Each structure stands twice: as C-alpha cells, then as structure tokens.
Amino acid sequence: MTGKNYDYIITLKHPGYKLADIISFLLCLLTVIFFTYFLVMGAEKPAPYIITIAVIVVQFIINYFKKKQGKKINHNYAFSICFIAWLTIPYRNWLLAVLYLTALVAETQVKFPYEIGVNEEGIIINSFPKKNFNWADFVNVLIKENMLTIDFKNNRILQKETESEVPAELEKEFNEFCKKRITSGKNNFSAA
C-alpha cells in the first residue's frame, strides 16, 4: 500500500502506560541520585550535575500536573538531558548514555497512538514497524459497539476497543465500506 490518504482512521484504546511511567520515573530518579552523590562528593564542575537535576525535577513537576489533569505524561526532556549528561560529565558512562537514549526511543514508541488507517487499498496498522494489509488478507472487518474486529484469512483475529464512542451511522458506513472492499478483494484474489 502506498496511499497516505485514509477514508477512516481509527484510534484504539491503549491498555495504559502505568508500567512505562514507573520505569521512566525510576530511571530519571537514578540519575538524580547519582548526580546528587557526585555533588556531595565535591564534583569539580558542578554546573552539569545541577542543570541535569533541575531539568529532571522540572519534568517531574510538569508530569505531576499533567497526570492530575488526566493527560498523558512523558519523560522526553529528562531522558534527553540524562543522555547528554552521561556522555559529557567527567564520569562518562557510555552504557548509561545508551540506556537513556534507548529509554527515550522506547517511551516515544510505547506512547504512540495505536491507530489503524483504512482506505481503498487496504489497512495499515500504525505500529513499529507499520503493518500493511490488502483487502484480500481479511475475512471480515467491522466495528460493533465500539469494538473493532479484524478477522484475517490466516485465522488470526485482532479485536480492540476504540478510544472514543463511534456513532451508529459512522459504524454502519465503515462496516459497509469494509464489506464492499473485502468482497471486491475476494473477487480480485480468485480471478488472479
């Protein structure tokens, strides 16, 4: 599939980010503990340690208020400053720097919206890596009572709840769109 225009984009409910948030918090706290120790032990150039600790604390405060408002939190700034700090401080630690870079990429990927794009050519599941499917790959695709069900020809089923409520008329329109594409996909598949 090459098309970037979608007739439908369905955002699916994510099970939650609690575990990722806890791990991210602990990783940032680890740097605060180490850098506080380095400062107490009389680091020659305290500025990088103080700046890093300050950025992490500010990120914690921002995340606290975001969480109270019910918004998704992230640790991008904290992970970025930790990565740079572990590369540049006098006690350079490449392994920890790579750990924070990996955490930055992983958190971004984990918290990326789980979306499914549907168009004339097929379905793209926005995951890492993206998964492209043609209509001939499906037995059935439908939304019913805010639940997306994708039934693959290889007997695999993907069933996820939509993030928001789908109006009945949109549900009907989507289901008819998919049924028509699957039917025409079968006709094309059997004729080939």
Side-chain angles (χ1 to χ4, degrees):
M1 274 171 46
T2 58
K4 292 187 179 183
N5 294 326
Y6 302 106
D7 294 295
Y8 301 93
I9 296 178
I10 303 154
T11 304
L12 302 175
K13 193 175 273 189
H14 196 280
Y17 305 111
K18 190 173 183 176
L19 180 61
D21 289 340
I22 290 170
I23 292 170
S24 297
F25 175 81
L26 291 175
L27 281 171
C28 292
L29 187 61
L30 178 72
T31 294
V32 169
I33 290 168
F34 273 113
F35 283 19
T36 302
Y37 173 77
F38 295 153
L39 285 170
V40 169
M41 296 307 289
E44 289 179 26
K45 298 178 182 176
Y49 302 105
I50 294 169
I51 291 169
T52 302
I53 291 170
V55 168
I56 293 171
V57 169
V58 168
Q59 180 84 68
F60 286 167
I61 292 168
I62 290 169
N63 285 345
Y64 172 78
F65 287 110
K66 279 184 170 181
K67 194 167 189 161
K68 281 191 90 157
Q69 295 171 350
K71 295 181 180 176
K72 183 170 60 172
I73 65 171
N74 65 56
H75 297 83
N76 294 346
Y77 296 120
F79 285 151
S80 299
I81 196 74
C82 289
F83 168 70
I84 293 167
W86 282 109
L87 282 178
T88 59
I89 63 169
Y91 302 104
R92 287 185 183 96
N93 190 318
W94 293 92
L95 186 61
L96 283 174
V98 169
L99 172 72
Y100 285 98
L101 180 62
T102 304
L104 173 65
V105 171
E107 184 185 55
T108 303
Q109 192 58 46
V110 163
K111 293 186 176 181
F112 200 74
Y114 191 29
E115 296 175 327
I116 294 180
V118 179
N119 65 15
E120 296 279 336
E121 298 175 38
I123 294 177
I124 294 179
I125 299 176
N126 192 17
S127 59
F128 185 74
K130 284 187 179 181
K131 297 174 186 167
N132 299 328
F133 299 98
N134 294 315
W135 287 109
D137 297 328
F138 306 112
V139 173
N140 197 13
V141 176
L142 66 98
I143 294 177
K144 185 174 182 182
E145 298 175 2
N146 303 316
M147 186 71 71
L148 172 71
T149 303
I150 301 176
D151 188 2
F152 293 86
K153 279 191 175 174
N154 64 2
N155 292 330
R156 210 178 84 208
I157 293 180
L158 172 71
Q159 196 168 39
K160 298 275 185 177
E161 189 176 350
T162 59
E163 188 172 73
S164 58
E165 194 168 318
V166 180
E169 47 198 56
L170 182 60
E171 181 180 295
K172 182 180 178 190
E173 179 185 312
F174 174 82
N175 291 341
E176 287 174 4
F177 177 89
C178 293
K179 187 175 183 176
K180 184 177 177 184
R181 298 307 171 276
I182 290 170
T183 304
S184 66
K186 285 179 185 174
N187 293 342
N188 291 341
F189 186 70
S190 60

